Amino acid sequence: RISRAATPGMRIVSLFLLVLGLALTCRPCDAQRLSDERVVFQTTKGDIELAFYPDVAPITSAHILDLCRRGLYISNHFFRVDKGFVAQVDGVVGGRRIPMDAYQREVASKKLPGEFSNDVKHTFGTLSMGRYDDPNSATSSFSILLGDAPHLDGQYAIFGRITRGEAALQAMQQVPTKKEGIFVMPEERIEILATYVKEASRAGGGGLRGQASDCTTQLEEARHRADGLVTELEKLRQKRLPGRR
């Protein structure tokens, strides 16, 4: 807290540092428009709400939303939980317990072009498509980032981020795991029990999106306070040094 006895110069410096800190924390370079639709995964560890980046990965976003509308993630599971790295959803072909019908099989194995972008980064909460060595081999498996992973940037297609569900991700990371090849896998099945889509009229912001909004508000408030102190300092300078510029 700034002391009442602080000089105007000291107060300016303090506010400058506050604005700088908030600017660095807000990560404005990662801000992207989120879709109006939300998808909710109701898992054995809690609910997770997903939103999409239609401007960054339009084909991937539309495909995953279509899979959700067709119920293809129901009875699927998170086959991989690598603490601090990723929680990965299995592909719907092979990952589900419930057999698919003809309507679902139409799109279950569809391969997607690699929509790689340097405009978004692999940070906590990011949704990133899984794939094989072929950059255009992604189908339905994707990861939720549990931490920052800059080495994945530009290599895997980011198509959205979670807007709620941090508690569920924390609960997943408490499950005992085992190592199988390159994968760290939970010893119990973390299942997606049900899914549903919140359409545009019912979808609301929250979670990480709300945090970004709060950060922007704090930054604007700090800027206004700094502007006021700059004006105050200029008036004081004019009073003590009349006629000088």
Side-chain angles (χ1 to χ4, degrees):
R1 184 177 180 180
I2 300 173
S3 169
R4 291 185 179 180
T7 66
M10 290 170 60
R11 293 166 68 188
I12 290 291
V13 170
S14 298
L15 262 297
F16 171 77
L17 292 175
L18 174 61
V19 171
L20 179 61
L22 286 169
L24 292 174
T25 302
C26 286
R27 295 183 180 180
C29 60
D30 287 348
Q32 293 290 338
R33 181 177 72 88
L34 288 172
S35 62
D36 291 328
E37 298 88 355
R38 300 285 187 273
V39 168
V40 177
F41 281 7
Q42 296 181 300
T43 81
T44 51
K45 296 300 178 184
D47 292 0
I48 304 171
E49 186 178 276
L50 318 176
F52 305 97
Y53 289 148
D55 299 331
V56 175
I59 296 173
T60 304
S61 296
H63 175 67
I64 299 298
L65 187 57
D66 186 30
L67 294 180
C68 292
R69 286 196 168 114
R70 295 179 189 233
L72 274 159
Y73 287 103
I74 296 172
S75 82
N76 200 355
H77 68 123
F78 287 83
F79 80 95
R80 178 186 188 188
V81 179
D82 197 338
K83 190 172 184 178
F85 182 37
V86 296
Q88 187 169 355
V89 178
D90 205 352
V92 298
V93 177
R96 286 166 47 98
R97 288 189 303 101
I98 302 173
M100 289 182 285
D101 61 19
Y103 176 66
Q104 293 172 320
R105 286 194 296 270
E106 288 177 358
V107 295
S109 300
K110 180 180 178 180
K111 291 185 178 180
L112 305 175
E115 295 183 294
F116 311 130
S117 172
N118 290 317
D119 293 334
V120 286
K121 307 299 180 184
H122 284 80
T123 58
F124 176 81
T126 296
L127 309 179
S128 178
M129 289 301 293
R131 64 173 176 83
Y132 295 105
D133 290 339
D134 180 354
N136 301 313
S137 61
T139 55
S140 58
S141 177
F142 66 89
S143 295
I144 302 175
L145 270 290
L146 301 175
D148 295 353
H151 63 286
L152 302 180
D153 294 345
Q155 305 297 314
Y156 292 85
I158 293 174
F159 64 94
R161 69 180 304 107
I162 68 166
T163 48
R164 291 189 178 90
E166 291 91 336
L169 296 181
Q170 289 296 328
M172 288 183 190
Q173 294 181 82
Q174 303 308 312
V175 175
T177 58
K178 58 186 177 182
K179 189 79 177 287
E180 291 193 13
I182 64 171
F183 297 123
V184 178
M185 307 173 72
E187 293 185 353
E188 69 178 73
R189 184 178 175 90
I190 301 175
E191 185 157 319
I192 301 169
L193 302 171
T195 67
Y196 64 91
V197 178
K198 290 183 180 179
E199 301 299 343
S201 61
R202 294 184 178 272
L208 297 177
R209 192 182 190 190
Q211 291 175 16
S213 176
D214 290 344
C215 186
T216 302
T217 300
Q218 292 175 32
L219 182 57
E220 288 301 318
E221 289 176 352
R223 283 174 176 161
H224 287 313
R225 289 165 61 193
D227 288 343
L229 285 176
V230 168
T231 301
E232 180 183 333
L233 185 60
E234 177 62 18
K235 289 179 178 179
L236 183 62
R237 188 184 68 84
Q238 291 290 336
K239 182 178 180 181
R240 292 186 176 181
L241 302 171
R244 297 186 62 181
R245 295 286 180 182

